[in-house]
Every structure is written in structure tokens, then in C-alpha cells.
Amino acid sequence: MKLSELTTGQTGIVTKIHGHGAFRKRVIEMGFVKGHAVTVVLHAPLRDPIKYSILGYEISLRRAEADLIEVVPVELEARVQIEAAQHREAEQADREAAVREQFKKASHTINVALIGNPNCGKTSLFNLASGAKEHVGNYSGVTVDARDKAFVYKDYRINFVDLPGTYSLTCYSPEEIYVRSYLRENNPDVIINVVDSSNLERNLFLTTELIDMDRSMVIALNMYDELRSRGDKLDYENLARMIGVPMVPIVSKTGEGLTRLLDTVISVYEGGDDVVRHIHVNLGNDLEVAIRQLVDDLKASPTRTLHFSPRYLAIKLLEGDHEIEDEVALAGADSPSARPLRAENRRRFLRRLFHRDCCGQSSAPDTVLSWRKQMNAGADCPTILLRDKLRGKIEALHNEDISSMVAAEKYGFIAGALAETYTPGTRQTKKSTVVLDKLATNKYLGFPIFFAIMFFIFWATFYIGQYPMDWIQAVVDWLSGAVNKVMPQGPLKDLVADGIIGGVGGVIVFLPNILILFFCISFMEDSGYMARAAFIMDKVMHRIGLHGKSFIPLIMGFGCNVPAIVASRVIESRSSRIITILINPFMSCSARLPIFVLLIGTFFSAHAALVFFALYMAGILVAVVTARLLRRFMFRKDETPFVMELPPYRIPPLKASLSHTWAKGREYLKKMGGIILFASIIVWALNYFPLHDDDAPATAETEQVADDSAINPDRDSYLEMIGKFVNPVMEPIGFSWRATVAAIAGVPAKEIVVSTLGVLYTNDEAVDDARLGARLEAPSPVTGRPDFTPAVALSFLIFILLYCPCIATVTAIARETGSWRYAAFSIVYNTLVAWLAAFAVYRIALVL
């Protein structure tokens, strides 16, 4: 726990000291070192600062400074003082042993953050070391937030945190802001900088920024087997000594080097690695002079350098990093030399607040809050004014912006270091990526290849999945027949046979189709083709007002809309990100797949793959039209550049693809035992009740009355009452009350649509075939004609494809956009579009 969390009179044992610069040096000199006891004496009247007692003297710390010191609390229990004298010594010894054990446990916990460029193998290393099963992919943006997992290694508890891939630590993109915020708020003990060994020069740029931060670090040279296979040679030990950071070659897909990497992490944590030293990447005389002046100014106010080193802050200030400007200005607001110009700040805040950026959106709430804080604290602090003066002088002298100068100097440093330690191999590099790209990105073949791949996925999903689907259906039919034979007549039998088996069994038969779809999508992601698809689609996406990066979340939406919406974080443009989120529900997710397989297999089996393909393309077409409308009427056009890494093609490991596929299948099965089972029971109960003459024994006469109750309006079930109440709205698109109820039931989760149909049509004794498709085609006992015809089936398919997203997707929309207005818009707009499209399709189908 943090030192600031101790209460008055409580004692703790120091386990870790975070922070940088003068603060860290000073508190260590004053006795705040691992193993020393510190006691809270009292709090100031406003609860800040706090007086502590350590090594026989008292010291005052602010709460923000005490937050950077971790302790293990020592409980002083009053009962110890009144226990018998003969037990005091033994209990005191046990207590000391417990405290020592608690201290050992706390001091043997290492918090490790994995940081690196996108697609460098961080998540693969995370899974390998911790035993986790997070999804990996051969394209950037797979990891969009922090994933953590703890494991034990050599008496150490190591907490691994996998952070999103980032090329630098600025405030340009969401993932860069996320990673830097994590480092500021969590202070990991050791950073593992994962580097792609096949692309050292580009990857080491991020390393130079971490060096500027002055954090404890180990470099993991991942994919080292690829470097060796090319015949390259890297003197990584010499390179490590040059930059002051230990380096360990690893191959995350095989586990090579993992033990050595973890040993090095422990060595760095314990301060026993002789390679570790802090260096400064020289940025040229003019920049270094300016950096030294800013560093001296920042050190004058220690609260500014609690989380990041003064050199890193100085460099980012010169580069014009807005987040660092805010942080420095706010931290220096209490300085006696700070003279905030509140009137000017207020005018500046209002201008910024009502400014419409290039995306056509008002600034994000967190940015507005930051500006508001600046207005109150004084953005025009001496440090910012000094920065402006230095920056203007340097840029005028060199006729170049400072960000470019810093990048050029850092790449020069990297090139110089590699010139002394890296020798390119003489072996011919593999041409597979070049050859495949000539086909996959060809202006004539690129699009046909993409559409052929998508068509094959739909074909495999339906036709290959049909065989295991029939096997599971046979098991469900046998189980249903066994229940009908064994269990006596009554509500319990109807619940099991019609509610549970009819509902859950009607959905679980589509598990093979789900697995095939996820396997194909996983293969595309892991092979590197996903990035090429985004590449060839960029111009098309640009024409509809989106970014090329939007294509990847849209394709991911074929699996599940929720992670696809979260993956939209990689899009830098706020407007493109919001549009991508809002149109993503039109991508047919796997939850709709059972509905499509059921109706297409029943009514359009002769052209199943073609209907599948057309249905998915219809969703894409509606998404395109919606994007155009949103860009025209709600968001102004933006010109965010398309900058995206195209990784080399790799053959996906079969184990990884199967693992990812099974993880999705397991989620599907969990739904069967959770929300689908619960919904099936509720639907059965609403369809079964109210009962009439329920006290009478079950006879042939009462069973005939029950059969006739469907014709008698006075004997409508609760579910039928609901369906008939809503159905006037749905009748123009061909829906019966059962179809209407099924669509309503699908609002929480689309899988419930099939389970609802299974419950509603299972108790139709006029049909001997137990298969749900045959029951859908059977004539209704009320109207004498089937509820579903090919025209109704098409209308139903279109409506289910387009209408309001499931609850999980709606929640994801609200969370990722930061507003429930967008979630409400998605519900209303999607449902309206679905009704209009279904109406058009139904009327056209009736004519044809």
C-alpha cells in the first residue's frame, strides 16, 4: 500500500521508492529505504501535508510525495499488551516473523510493464511468460488496453502488464496517451522494452524515449530467430553497454531466452546488473543548452518531476507536447514566481472550448477539463514562457521544427550505435512478402482476391459446418425424444423439452459454424493479410469519409462488434473513430450467424453461399451509406494521414489459431449456459402461461382444449399478447407475432432470436420433424399458412442484420464515444433503417 494511506499512529515498513530526480535522492538520504519503519505522527488541518517519524526524527511530506512510497503496514493490536507474560515473547517473535514474511512478500513483488512498437510480439511474450491466452495478431492495434497477469518465478511474484503498441511516447495517438498515462499513474518497477530484432533501427526510437524517462528497463530482442536466419550478426552485449540497458535475445513463439529475460528483470530490480547506467542521447549543442535550462527550472519545483524525469519533460516541452505543458503548468501553479494571467487565460479557455477542430467535433471532455484547470492554475507560468523563448530561438536558427530535429538526432544516435554492433547478413532475404504483396495489393487483383477470400469464408462457414452441425442436431433430437418418452406429462416436462432443449439446443447446433468463422478471421489476422486489406481499401474508405485504419475494426465486427468497437481506438481522428464505431453494428457479428444458417439453410439452401455473401455485403453497403451521411451532416471532413505498418507475412501457428478459435467457442458455450438458458426459460414461461383449468387432471379432452387455445383469443399466452400488441408495426414487413417476439427477444443478445424461435415452434405437434427449419415451414394452426415464407425469411434476415445492436454493443458504443447520445442514436437509427430496408425487400420479394 502507499505511505499516504496509513492512518495516524500507524506504522509501516518501506518496500519501494518510486519517483525521480531530487525527490527520490532526498527521501532515500533521509532514511526512506527498503526495510525501515515509518510512523504517521499527524496530518495537517487540511489533511496535507503529513508528519512522519523515521529513524528517531520527524519529517513532513506532501500526500502526492507519500503516494510514491510503498509500505507494508504493521498492525499494533492492543490485545498483545494484556496477554499473559509467558506468551509475550513467543507472540512477539511470531509477529516479527509475520512482519518479515509480509515484507519479504511485498519486496519480492515486481511490477513489469511490456512496452514496444505495434506488432513486435509483446502479447506473445505476455502469454508465454504468464500463461495467459490473450489474442495476438500480425497487424498493429491488436492490444488496445492494459492486460495484466501475475505469476511466480524464483520466489518472486511478477505482475506482467501488456500495454498497447506505440511508436513513441507523445500525445499524438490514443495508444501513446494511454501508455504514458499508465507510466505516470502506476510506476512499474521494471519496463521490458520489446524490440523486433528484424527491424532494430525503427524499434529503438521508442527505446531512446524510455531512456529519456530514466526508468529501470530491460530490452527483449524478440524474433531473434529471424535475425539469425538472415545471417545477420548483432553484438547485443556491446550495444547494451553503449546505451546502458541490458539486452536479452528471445523468441516468444518458442520460449527461447525467457528464463534469461526473467533473471535479468530480477537483477535490474535488485540493482545488481552492472550494465545498467543512465545515459543522455545527445541531441546537438543548441538543443542540449535549451534542455539544460529547462531541466534546471523544472528541478526548482520538485512536484513537477515526481512522475517523469526532468530531461524527458524538457524535451517534450520543446517539442510542444500539450499534455506535458498542462502537467508542468499545473504542478508549478503554487510556485511563488508563477503569476497567472487569469483574464487572458479565461479568454484563451473560452476560445479553445468553442473551437471546432478538423474533425468537426468540439474538444474531448478530458481536454476541456485540462484547459479549465490551466485557466485556474495559470498556463503562462515562467517555465512555459522560458520554453517559448528557447523554442522560438532554436527554430528560427535552424529553420526546422524541434520535433524533427529531436527525431533526426535520435535516429542518428541509433544508426551510430548499430554501425558498431550490427553486421547485415549475406543471405538472400525471403521474397515471400514481396511476391504475395504483388498479388494481394495489385490494382487489378487486390479486390477480387479480397472478395474471393470473403466468399470462401462464408462458403466454408455454411457447407463445411453443415456436417458437424447435423451431428449435434442428431444428439439434440435424441435428447429431446428421450425426455418426451421418459418424463411424465406436465409443466416440468414441457419446460425441459420445449424450453431448455428447444431453446438452448436450437442455438448450440450452430457452434461449428461459429468456430469456422472465427478460425478464418483469426488466420487472416495472424497472417498479416489484414493490414493489406486495410491498405487496398484506404481509398475506398477515404471516399466514404473514413480512414483506412477503419477497415480493420469493421472486418473484426464480423466476429464480434464489441472488441471491434474497442479496436477503433487505434484511429487517431476522433470523427473517423466515432463514425467507425457507429457503423460497426451493421457488420454482421457471429451472434447473428445461427439465424442466418437456420433461415438460409431452410429457404435458400440451393444458393446458400451466395445468399450469405449478399447478406454480409448488404450490411457493408448500409454501413457505407451511413458513413457518408454522418460525414456530410454530423462531422466535417478531416485529412488524417494514412500511416500504417505493413508487417511481413507469417504462417500463423496452428496452435495459436486453434487457441483463439476455441476461446471464442468457449465464450459461446458460456452464453448457452447463461443468458441463452435464462432467456429460453423466460420465453417458455411467457408462452406457457396463463394456464386454464389447471386443477383438472390431464386427459385427452384437456389436451384437445389446450390445442384449441391457440385459436381462442381468450386463451392467448402472455407472450402472444405482447407479440400481437407490437405486431401491427411489424406486419408491413411480413412478420407474424412469433417473428416479432423473436426479434424483440434478440435485443439483449442476438443468439436469443434462435432460442426464442425454438421455444415458440417446438410444441407444434402438427409437425413430426423435430428440426426447427421444418417447423418454420409448417402451416400455422390459426392462419392455415406458414409464418415464414421465402419473402418473410428475407425480410427477417435483413431486419435482424440491421436493427438495434445488442446491449453489450450499445454499452461499448457509449463507453468508447464518451456519450450515451451516440448509443441512443445507434438504437433508433439502426432500427429505423432495418424496418425500411426489410419493408423494401419484402415488397420486392412478393412481386418477384
Side-chain angles (χ1 to χ4, degrees):
M1 67 185 298
K2 298 176 181 178
L3 177 61
S4 60
E5 296 174 355
L6 294 179
T7 58
T8 302
Q10 194 173 10
T11 300
I13 305 296
V14 178
T15 59
K16 292 179 185 177
I17 305 293
H18 298 291
H20 295 277
F23 163 75
R24 179 181 175 88
K25 183 174 183 296
R26 179 58 57 84
V27 296
I28 290 177
E29 290 172 349
M30 301 186 75
F32 286 88
V33 295
K34 187 188 298 185
H36 283 191
V38 56
T39 302
V40 183
V41 178
L42 59 86
H43 290 72
L46 297 179
R47 306 293 296 172
D48 198 10
I50 308 171
K51 183 192 289 186
Y52 297 97
S53 174
I54 187 169
L55 297 179
Y57 68 95
E58 295 180 344
I59 183 174
S60 174
L61 294 178
R62 288 182 176 176
R63 186 174 294 273
E65 297 163 344
D67 282 342
L68 298 176
I69 302 174
E70 292 189 17
V71 298
V72 174
V74 179
E75 301 294 337
L76 301 176
E77 301 169 356
R79 61 182 178 81
V80 175
Q81 301 176 2
I82 61 175
E83 289 179 344
Q86 62 269 27
H87 297 295
R88 283 182 179 175
E89 291 186 3
E91 290 187 356
Q92 184 65 20
D94 292 341
R95 194 166 143 79
E96 292 176 355
V99 170
R100 285 195 298 270
E101 181 63 27
Q102 193 174 8
F103 166 72
K104 179 182 177 182
K105 182 178 179 181
S107 62
H108 277 57
T109 298
I110 309 176
N111 297 314
V112 178
L114 300 179
I115 299 178
N117 286 186
N119 205 49
C120 68
K122 296 184 309 302
T123 304
S124 296
L125 174 59
F126 176 78
N127 291 340
L128 174 70
S130 65
K133 296 182 179 179
E134 296 294 342
H135 176 48
V136 299
N138 190 20
Y139 63 99
S140 62
V142 180
T143 303
V144 292
D145 53 13
R147 285 89 178 264
D148 60 274
K149 187 74 179 289
F151 61 96
V152 177
Y153 177 79
K154 290 187 176 179
D155 295 330
Y156 285 86
R157 178 183 173 84
I158 301 179
N159 298 323
F160 257 34
V161 179
D162 181 24
L163 295 172
T166 178
Y167 294 106
S168 67
L169 295 173
T170 61
C171 63
Y172 174 66
S173 64
E175 60 268 20
E176 291 171 352
I177 296 173
Y178 187 96
V179 172
R180 193 165 67 183
S181 298
Y182 180 88
L183 293 177
R184 179 176 58 246
E185 297 167 5
N186 294 277
N187 285 308
D189 300 312
V190 180
I191 292 173
I192 295 182
N193 178 207
V194 185
V195 170
D196 181 356
S197 299
S198 63
N199 195 349
L200 288 170
E201 188 168 4
R202 205 279 313 285
N203 279 246
L204 288 175
F205 181 83
L206 176 61
T207 305
T208 62
E209 294 214 314
L210 293 171
I211 290 173
D212 290 336
M213 278 190 171
D214 191 18
R215 297 292 182 103
S216 297
M217 182 167 57
V218 177
I219 295 177
L221 297 170
N222 197 19
M223 307 180 196
Y224 205 74
D225 56 333
E226 294 187 10
L227 182 143
R228 288 194 302 251
S229 67
R230 297 195 310 234
D232 300 350
K233 294 182 180 179
L234 176 66
D235 186 358
Y236 60 86
E237 293 179 347
N238 187 28
L239 180 60
R241 286 190 291 269
M242 291 173 62
I243 66 176
V245 180
M247 291 184 167
V248 181
I250 65 166
V251 182
S252 58
K253 66 181 180 182
T254 63
E256 178 186 341
L258 177 62
T259 300
R260 183 181 172 189
L261 176 65
L262 296 178
D263 289 339
T264 306
V265 168
I266 294 172
S267 176
V268 170
Y269 173 73
E270 296 292 355
D273 198 298
D274 56 0
V275 174
V276 177
R277 65 187 180 95
H278 180 54
I279 68 165
H280 288 167
V281 178
N282 192 292
L283 301 179
N285 291 335
D286 293 332
L287 281 174
E288 288 296 335
V289 170
I291 289 171
R292 280 195 295 271
Q293 293 185 50
L294 285 172
V295 166
D296 292 340
D297 187 87
L298 290 167
K299 287 182 176 179
S301 178
T303 56
R304 293 170 167 177
T305 58
L306 288 177
H307 303 292
F308 297 124
S309 71
R311 180 176 176 85
Y312 174 79
L313 294 176
I315 294 173
K316 291 305 172 185
L317 282 175
L318 287 173
E319 290 181 334
D321 190 300
H322 299 300
E323 273 207 344
I324 297 299
E325 287 180 10
D326 295 353
E327 187 172 330
V328 169
L330 292 172
D334 297 330
S335 172
S337 61
R339 293 178 176 272
L341 306 177
R342 295 189 180 277
E344 176 60 27
N345 285 339
R346 188 176 295 108
R347 288 192 293 271
R348 179 179 300 173
F349 167 74
L350 291 175
R351 286 198 302 269
R352 289 178 173 179
L353 178 62
F354 294 104
H355 172 66
R356 307 286 290 185
D357 61 16
C358 65
C359 303
Q361 289 295 299
S362 57
S363 299
D366 55 342
T367 307
V368 174
L369 178 61
S370 174
W371 288 336
R372 186 179 293 116
K373 289 179 179 178
Q374 282 192 54
M375 181 187 69
N376 295 328
D380 295 315
C381 67
T383 304
I384 302 299
L385 295 175
L386 174 62
R387 186 283 311 269
D388 292 341
K389 178 181 176 181
L390 295 170
R391 182 177 178 179
K393 180 180 178 181
I394 295 172
E395 291 184 342
L397 181 63
H398 292 270
N399 195 26
E400 186 180 6
D401 68 278
I402 290 183
S403 296
S404 300
M405 295 173 61
V406 171
E409 293 293 342
K410 287 188 172 182
Y411 273 116
F413 169 81
I414 295 168
L418 292 177
E420 297 184 28
T421 57
Y422 175 71
T423 304
T426 57
R427 299 178 191 172
Q428 187 74 14
T429 57
K430 293 183 178 180
K431 299 294 184 180
S432 58
T433 295
V434 177
V435 173
L436 290 174
D437 267 350
K438 286 183 178 180
L439 296 174
T441 62
N442 185 276
K443 65 178 180 179
Y444 299 113
L445 298 178
F447 287 103
I449 288 175
F450 171 73
F451 288 116
I453 290 174
M454 298 305 298
F455 185 84
F456 172 77
I457 291 175
F458 301 140
W459 176 87
T461 299
F462 185 84
Y463 286 104
I464 298 179
Q466 186 67 42
Y467 296 100
M469 178 182 165
D470 290 340
W471 303 335
I472 298 176
Q473 181 68 63
V475 174
V476 172
D477 294 346
W478 174 85
L479 186 61
S480 177
V483 168
N484 283 318
K485 290 180 181 178
V486 174
M487 294 188 69
Q489 293 289 337
L492 182 59
K493 173 200 165 186
D494 293 339
L495 171 62
V496 175
D498 300 339
I500 297 177
I501 297 178
V504 177
V507 181
I508 201 171
V509 296
F510 301 104
L511 176 62
N513 309 88
I514 299 290
L515 295 179
I516 291 173
L517 177 65
F518 273 115
F519 179 83
C520 293
I521 293 177
S522 175
F523 189 90
M524 287 176 62
E525 293 175 347
D526 295 347
S527 66
Y529 179 74
M530 192 73 84
R532 271 71 185 182
F535 174 78
I536 65 174
M537 294 296 294
D538 176 63
K539 191 168 185 178
V540 176
M541 304 301 289
H542 188 73
R543 290 283 179 87
I544 66 174
L546 286 179
H547 193 279
K549 285 186 179 180
S550 300
F551 188 71
I552 291 180
L554 295 179
I555 290 295
M556 292 176 63
F558 289 144
C560 181
N561 294 143
V562 175
I565 288 172
V566 175
S568 300
R569 294 176 185 174
V570 301
I571 304 170
E572 293 87 357
S573 166
R574 175 172 169 78
S575 68
S576 291
R577 185 164 62 250
I578 292 177
I579 294 175
T580 303
I581 289 171
L582 292 179
I583 67 174
N584 205 290
F586 292 124
M587 302 297 105
S588 181
C589 65
S590 61
R592 298 178 174 96
L593 188 61
I595 311 168
F596 296 165
V597 174
L598 171 64
L599 294 180
I600 292 174
T602 301
F603 296 97
F604 313 104
S605 57
H607 308 285
L610 185 61
V611 176
F612 252 110
F613 185 75
L615 201 59
Y616 278 76
M617 291 301 106
I620 294 175
L621 178 62
V622 173
V624 167
V625 174
T626 301
R628 291 285 294 174
L629 293 173
L630 290 173
R631 180 62 75 187
R632 181 176 180 83
F633 296 107
M634 293 182 64
F635 303 91
R636 289 191 306 179
K637 187 176 181 180
D638 66 341
E639 296 293 342
T640 305
F642 179 66
V643 181
M644 181 178 181
E645 180 183 0
L646 294 178
Y649 289 100
R650 292 187 173 95
I651 299 176
L654 181 61
K655 181 180 179 181
S657 297
L658 291 176
S659 176
H660 179 224
T661 302
W662 174 239
K664 295 299 183 181
R666 189 168 60 246
E667 292 178 10
Y668 188 74
L669 290 176
K670 286 181 179 179
K671 281 188 176 182
M672 297 302 101
I675 185 173
I676 304 301
L677 175 61
F678 177 76
S680 298
I681 294 174
I682 295 298
V683 169
W684 172 85
L686 291 174
N687 191 48
Y688 191 81
F689 296 102
L691 290 176
H692 298 274
D693 300 326
D694 52 340
D695 293 331
T699 63
E701 289 78 12
T702 59
E703 290 181 5
Q704 182 62 42
V705 169
D707 291 337
D708 294 339
S709 65
I711 305 176
N712 187 349
D714 295 332
R715 293 187 178 273
D716 286 351
S717 66
Y718 294 125
L719 198 63
E720 190 169 352
M721 296 176 193
I722 296 171
K724 289 181 176 179
F725 176 77
V726 180
N727 204 52
V729 179
M730 311 302 285
E731 280 181 353
I733 60 176
F735 283 22
S736 65
W737 71 266
R738 288 186 177 90
T740 299
V741 167
I744 295 174
V747 172
K750 296 298 180 282
E751 295 93 342
I752 301 178
V753 173
V754 172
S755 66
T756 301
L757 292 174
V759 172
L760 292 174
Y761 286 92
T762 296
N763 57 3
D764 189 355
E765 301 300 334
V767 183
D768 295 330
D769 194 335
R771 296 177 183 272
L772 180 56
R775 295 176 180 274
L776 295 179
E777 293 181 297
S780 168
V782 178
T783 63
R785 61 179 184 273
D787 289 343
F788 280 88
T789 62
V792 175
L794 276 178
S795 173
F796 192 81
L797 287 171
I798 290 294
F799 187 82
I800 295 299
L801 169 71
L802 302 176
Y803 84 128
C804 71
C806 66
I807 291 177
T809 302
V810 171
T811 304
I813 292 173
R815 183 178 64 249
E816 295 301 317
T817 60
S819 173
W820 280 97
R821 292 186 297 110
Y822 291 113
F825 170 83
S826 183
I827 294 172
V828 175
Y829 175 81
N830 290 26
T831 304
L832 179 61
V833 168
W835 193 94
L836 293 173
F839 179 82
V841 167
Y842 179 62
R843 295 303 167 182
I844 293 173
L846 288 179
V847 173
L848 297 178

